[in-house]
Amino acid sequence: MFARKKKLLQAIERKVFRGFEVPEDLAPLTDIDPNEAGAGNKSGVTAEEVESIWAGVEDFYRRGAHPFVSLCVRRHGEMILNRSLGYVKGAMGECEPVVGSLETPVCLFSSSKAVSAMLIHKLAEEGHVELLTPVSYYIPEFAAGGKANITIHDLLSHRAGVPGIAADVPRDVLYNPDEALRHICEMETLHSDGRISAYHAVTGGFVMAKLVEVTTGLTIQQYLDTVFRQPLGMKYFTYGIGEEHHDNVARHYETGLKNPKPIENLLSNVLGASVSEVIEISNSPEFKSSVIPSGNIYSTAEEACRFFQMMLDRGEWQGQRVLDPVTVLRGTREVGGARLDKSLMLPMRYSAGMMLGGKPAGLYGVDTHHAFGHLGFSNILCWADPQRDLAVSLVSSGKPVISSHIVPLLFTVLNRINKACEPCVDGLYDLPQYHPAG
C-alpha cells in the first residue's frame, strides 16, 4: 500500500513539475571515474563523506528535473569525486533513452563567462589591453550611446550598461557576431560611467571576442585554444562543439513549474528570449556550431573543474604556468561589494568576471565568502573556494526555475560538499598572497 501511494505521489510530482520518470535503480545510469581518490588520502575527506555527497546528488536527481547530472570535486588538488548520472537524451520519451557518461559534453551556458573573462585578463597580462582603458579605445564604434568612457573593467563586472539586446532584434543575431556587435554598439548605456550593476547575459561576450580579435588578430576560439584548452589538456572546452559531437551533447529540457508571469518576464529580459525559446535554441545545430562567448562553452564536469583548480592554484596546472597569480587575483577580487543587480533584481557580488559567494550564505552554499565561480542556466554551478582549497563543477541538463529539486540541491548537495571540506585556512589572514610569477 505504501509503495503504491509513493508511486502515485511521484507521478503527481512529475506531472506538476514537468519531470521525467526516474527508475528505482540508478546504478545502470551511473558512471564513476576509477581515478577518484580513495579513503585516507591527502584531501582529508573520508569515503563515507564522498558517498554522502553522491547520495545527495542521487536525491537531487530523483526529483526528475535533470535528466543528466555530472559532478566533479577536487580538494587539496585531489579529485575526490567524479561521476555522472542519467540520460543524454530520450528521458522525456522523444526517442529511445541514451545513457550519458563522464565523457558527455554539456553546455556550460553562463558559466562560460568566467572563462571568457579570464581570456580578457590574459590579454591584459600579455600587454594587449589595459583593463581601465575604455572599450572604445580598441573598438571605436562602441563609443556610441554614451559608452565612450565605459572601461574593459566595467564590461567584465557587468557595468557596461548594455545588459541585453533589444527585443525586436532577430534571435539569429546570436549566430552572427558582427551583426550582434553592431546592435550592441548602437545601444544607449544605462549610465555613462559604469556605476549601474546589471547582469549582461549575452552582450558582453561579443564585445570580448572583438577585443581579442582587434588586439591579437586571433579569433576568441583560437585564443581560448591557445590560452586554456591546450595547456590544460582538454578534449572539449570550446565555444560551440564540432558537428561530430552534436549527437553526444546532453539535450536540454524544460522542466519545473510553469514560470509565473513576473518571473518569466524577468528571465526573458535577462536572457533575451523566453525560457522555452532559449531551450529550443540551445538544442539546435546552429547553437551548437556557433561561437557565443557569454554562453556556449561545451565541457565535461571534470574539464570545468580542472579550469577552476588551475584558478585555485593561482594560475598553475600540473607544473605549467597558465596565468600569472596577479592575473588570477584581478579576475577574482570583489568589485564594489554586494549590491542590487538591475537585471537579476537580486543582490550580487561580482569580481571582474566572476560571481562571488557569500556569508552567511551565497550561490555556493553556507559560509562561502571567498568562493568565486559562475552560475549557468539554470542549475550549473562551477566554482573554487580558496578558504576550503576546493574546486567544484556541477553540470545538469534540465532547465527548471521553480521545482522540487531546489531543496536537495541547496541544502543537501552544496551543504554536504562544504561540510566535508571545512575551511582549512583563516579567511582573514591565511589566504595565499599573490606575487608575480617567475
Side-chain angles (χ1 to χ4, degrees), residues 2-50:
F2 177 76
R4 202 178 317 136
K5 281 186 177 178
K6 183 180 178 183
K7 285 189 176 181
L8 178 60
L9 288 172
Q10 287 174 337
I12 293 171
E13 183 176 329
R14 284 198 306 274
K15 178 83 170 173
V16 172
F17 291 108
R18 296 186 294 176
F20 67 100
E21 188 168 354
V22 181
E24 199 64 36
D25 183 9
L26 298 182
L29 309 185
T30 304
D31 191 16
I32 300 176
D33 191 336
N35 294 314
E36 284 185 3
N41 50 64
K42 69 176 185 180
S43 71
V45 180
T46 67
E48 290 75 17
E49 287 172 320
V50 169

Side-chain angles (χ1 to χ4, degrees), residues 267-389:
L267 291 172
S268 295
N269 288 335
V270 170
L271 299 172
S274 70
V275 171
S276 297
E277 288 174 323
V278 170
I279 293 168
E280 182 182 356
I281 289 168
S282 70
N283 284 322
S284 70
E286 293 83 3
F287 182 90
K288 294 175 187 176
S289 299
S290 296
V291 173
I292 305 172
S294 283
N296 82 334
I297 286 180
Y298 285 82
S299 167
T300 63
E302 188 280 322
E303 287 181 338
C305 186
R306 198 185 310 180
F307 172 82
F308 278 97
Q309 182 64 49
M310 177 273 296
M311 294 286 290
L312 190 64
D313 288 339
R314 297 177 294 288
E316 188 174 301
W317 175 252
Q318 295 184 343
Q320 181 180 4
R321 176 59 56 193
V322 179
L323 295 172
D324 189 283
V326 173
T327 300
V328 176
L329 178 63
R330 288 173 182 150
T332 58
R333 187 177 179 89
E334 183 176 13
V335 175
R339 61 195 302 177
L340 181 68
D341 184 283
K342 299 293 187 179
S343 295
L344 301 176
M345 299 310 295
L346 293 169
M348 295 294 297
R349 293 178 67 226
Y350 291 119
S351 70
M354 305 281 170
M355 289 179 165
L356 305 180
K359 190 173 184 177
L363 284 174
Y364 315 112
V366 175
D367 190 21
T368 55
H369 181 80
H370 296 283
F372 58 84
H374 219 287
L375 176 70
F377 177 56
S378 62
N379 296 135
I380 292 171
L381 287 161
C382 304
W383 80 95
D385 189 337
Q387 192 177 15
R388 289 180 162 84
D389 203 7

